[in-house]
Amino acid sequence: MAATRSRQGTSRHAFDLVADASHQELATTASRQLRRDSDFLAAARFMVGAGFHAKAGRTTLRLAEAFALRMHRSKDGHFPFSIEATAHELGLGRRAVLNHARYLRELGLLAYVEHGTRTNVLRTRHGSAWVTGYRGTATLFAAVAPRVWDRAMGRRIKGTGYMARQVGVTEEGRRLAVEDARLRAAFKAPARRSSCTPSVGVPQEGLSLKTVGGNTDTPRTRATTTRRTAVNGPRVSAAECARGVSIAERLQREVWWLHRGCARRLACALRPLTAAGWTWQSLAAELLTWGVPGFLRDPAAYVRHELARRQRLGHLPHLTASVVADDRVDEHGTRRTDMLRRREEAHHPAWQRYSEQLRPQLRRQLAEARATRPVRQTPPVSRPMWREPEEDFLASLPDQSWGNSPAPREVYAARAWGRRPRSASRTPPSSDQGWLEELRDQAEAERACAALRAELENWAAGRG
């Protein structure tokens, strides 16, 4: 990693500037992910105030604040970076914006998610005409925090790179967190407690005021604001709330008349069904059967009212039974019981005794047996041999006493039809059954058959 040693300044922690552009990407950065703008601003103030970068200052913090205002658009803390728009927002030049963005990257506070290009994203065909205009692709940055800031804040981090996560705090970090909470509580104005929650309350055009008495000239100090109170229900954990919101977002993509509503308010309206075990498939199948008006101003309020009416009339199944069974849900706990049983068998005392005492001894005995086993001898190599002795082969050839060497066909015929002479160890062949006699007998038989055939044909012709 090509890095430049920076001056420590007022900080007692050392830090190396990330000068290599290849280590400023999302996959190669050494900093961890940040999702909240407050954490990003705190990290930026610490890194700039510690003097790790000689050129970073107030303008760099202004750019970091502008970036923090855009982090709420993404749940992962990603935000777009347009040079012209940022320069117009901060009243700076193009070169100044680029330089201070580079300072933030070198301090380990920014990482590239996507590099901007000059490709025209507006060049799309609409019907038979092309849409005119030009708009390039913006650069996407991810807010990250260097490890030196986590060490200074007393945080314990698990993992490396962008996917590292905070798993706890040290004693110094706990002390700093308590001091920060006390300072926030001291400078924070007391907020008025309200019983209205945005997940339940229907959006109103304006606040209506009612007077306590009958006099129309009642002072404004005696007027009270009418608010819709929330229904006191069971407490819901953050995981259950997130699951309900994800189900509501999926339903908005499946059911056409829900896309205009708020996903959080819809999740609150469907909470009795989701808590009873209804899946998004069963909810979508139920909601698609409802006859709704052509235009709904508040789909969540309509769902809440219709659920209450159908439940009162008994048109909905019992809330304790799920309409569509989900195989991934272990309702009766059988899969967990099997898992615990397998774990208990794996950690049984007999298995532990085998793995700790018997298995090493068996492995040692097997190694000794392999070491003392005799070496396997190499099998003898087979050598090519004649199918028969050479003298037997020469004796089986036709007789060469005529002065002419036999033709190959005669040799093959003698080898195939003639009786091959046996080796000396066997009984010698008889002299009256040679190959020449067999050939002569065959020729005489063929001539006799031909003469008999001709005689029969003449006899048949003369008789006819």
Side-chain angles (χ1 to χ4, degrees):
M1 174 178 178
T4 304
R5 174 68 65 178
S6 64
R7 60 187 180 91
Q8 297 187 11
T10 59
S11 175
R12 56 187 177 88
H13 302 279
F15 177 72
D16 293 334
L17 294 179
V18 188
D20 191 352
S22 62
H23 292 86
Q24 297 175 3
E25 304 290 337
L26 193 69
T28 59
T29 182
S31 303
R32 67 179 180 92
Q33 180 187 15
L34 291 180
R35 288 188 174 92
R36 296 188 298 182
D37 54 351
S38 58
D39 294 340
F40 177 66
L41 287 177
R45 294 190 182 103
F46 172 80
M47 298 299 293
V48 174
F52 290 129
H53 202 295
K55 298 182 179 180
R58 177 56 189 167
T59 306
T60 310
L61 291 179
R62 288 181 58 197
L63 182 60
E65 293 173 357
F67 288 159
L69 294 177
R70 307 173 188 175
M71 290 179 60
H72 69 280
R73 305 176 184 176
S74 171
K75 63 182 181 63
D76 297 324
H78 301 170
F79 51 87
F81 173 56
S82 175
I83 304 175
E84 290 75 10
T86 306
H88 179 73
E89 178 183 356
L90 300 180
L92 301 175
R94 177 187 177 90
R95 179 52 54 186
V97 173
L98 290 175
N99 288 336
H100 289 280
R102 177 169 55 85
Y103 302 159
L104 292 176
R105 295 197 307 271
E106 293 177 352
L107 288 173
L109 296 171
L110 296 180
Y112 279 107
V113 178
E114 181 178 351
H115 290 269
T117 61
R118 296 182 179 274
T119 304
N120 187 10
V121 298
L122 292 181
R123 186 174 178 79
T124 57
R125 190 177 183 86
H126 182 71
S128 60
W130 289 89
V131 178
T132 59
Y134 173 80
R135 181 185 299 171
T137 304
T139 300
L140 291 182
F141 278 136
V144 292
R147 188 60 64 91
V148 62
W149 178 66
D150 291 326
R151 287 197 298 265
M153 295 295 104
R155 295 185 174 92
R156 291 191 293 110
I157 306 300
K158 181 179 181 181
T160 58
Y162 183 74
M163 300 307 296
R165 292 294 179 265
Q166 178 182 351
V167 295
V169 295
T170 61
E171 294 296 333
E172 181 67 16
R174 185 175 292 105
R175 185 185 63 81
L176 293 176
V178 171
E179 292 181 359
D180 183 68
R182 288 177 179 174
L183 290 176
R184 290 176 180 273
F187 289 97
K188 186 178 180 180
R192 182 174 59 182
R193 185 179 299 275
S194 174
S195 60
C196 179
T197 168
S199 298
V200 178
V202 180
Q204 304 291 336
E205 299 295 338
L207 295 177
S208 59
L209 301 177
K210 69 175 183 180
T211 57
V212 178
N215 189 4
T216 58
D217 297 332
T218 304
R220 188 172 180 83
T221 55
R222 294 179 57 189
T224 59
T225 304
T226 60
R227 298 180 182 272
R228 179 171 179 171
T229 59
V231 180
N232 294 327
R235 296 182 61 87
V236 181
S237 63
E240 294 175 352
C241 182
R243 176 176 173 271
V245 172
S246 63
I247 292 177
E249 292 176 350
R250 184 62 181 266
L251 287 177
Q252 286 182 333
R253 294 191 294 268
E254 299 292 336
V255 183
W256 63 271
W257 52 272
L258 292 178
H259 68 280
R260 295 186 63 255
C262 176
R264 294 186 60 188
R265 297 185 62 249
L266 180 60
C268 183
L270 295 173
R271 188 170 295 165
L273 299 181
T274 56
W278 286 49
T279 59
W280 69 267
Q281 295 93 337
S282 58
L283 289 173
E286 177 66 27
L287 295 177
L288 287 173
T289 60
W290 291 4
V292 297
F295 177 80
L296 287 177
R297 178 176 175 269
D298 191 0
Y302 177 78
V303 169
R304 185 183 298 106
H305 176 269
E306 190 67 15
L307 283 179
R309 186 184 69 83
R310 289 174 179 263
Q311 185 179 358
R312 183 174 61 254
L313 297 177
H315 293 169
L316 282 179
H318 198 266
L319 294 183
T320 58
S322 176
V323 177
V324 177
D326 194 351
D327 297 336
R328 296 174 299 178
V329 179
D330 191 11
E331 298 180 353
H332 304 288
T334 55
R335 285 186 293 180
R336 176 173 173 80
T337 304
D338 296 341
M339 182 267 295
L340 294 177
R341 179 178 53 80
R342 291 193 300 268
R343 182 184 298 177
E344 183 179 0
E345 292 177 356
H347 297 82
H348 196 268
W351 171 262
Q352 293 182 357
R353 179 176 177 273
Y354 164 74
S355 61
E356 296 176 1
Q357 301 177 9
L358 300 181
R359 184 165 59 184
Q361 183 179 0
L362 292 176
R363 290 182 175 179
R364 184 170 57 255
Q365 293 178 359
L366 181 60
E368 294 176 357
R370 290 177 177 175
T372 57
R373 186 175 58 183
V375 181
R376 183 178 179 181
Q377 297 181 357
T378 305
V381 180
S382 60
R383 298 179 179 177
M385 299 177 61
W386 292 93
R387 294 189 301 175
E388 56 185 351
E390 187 177 359
E391 56 273 10
D392 294 347
F393 173 76
L394 295 176
S396 64
L397 295 178
D399 190 8
Q400 303 181 13
S401 60
W402 299 337
N404 297 327
S405 60
R409 183 175 180 179
E410 297 177 354
V411 174
Y412 292 148
R415 294 287 295 171
W417 298 339
R419 186 176 299 276
R420 300 178 184 177
R422 300 178 182 179
S423 60
S425 61
R426 298 182 181 181
T427 305
S430 60
S431 59
D432 58 343
Q433 291 184 358
W435 62 273
L436 187 58
E437 288 76 5
E438 292 182 359
L439 289 177
R440 291 174 180 175
D441 293 343
Q442 182 179 0
E444 292 177 359
E446 291 178 356
R447 287 195 300 268
C449 290
L452 181 60
R453 186 180 297 107
E455 184 179 356
L456 289 176
E457 291 177 356
N458 294 332
W459 179 76
R463 192 177 179 183

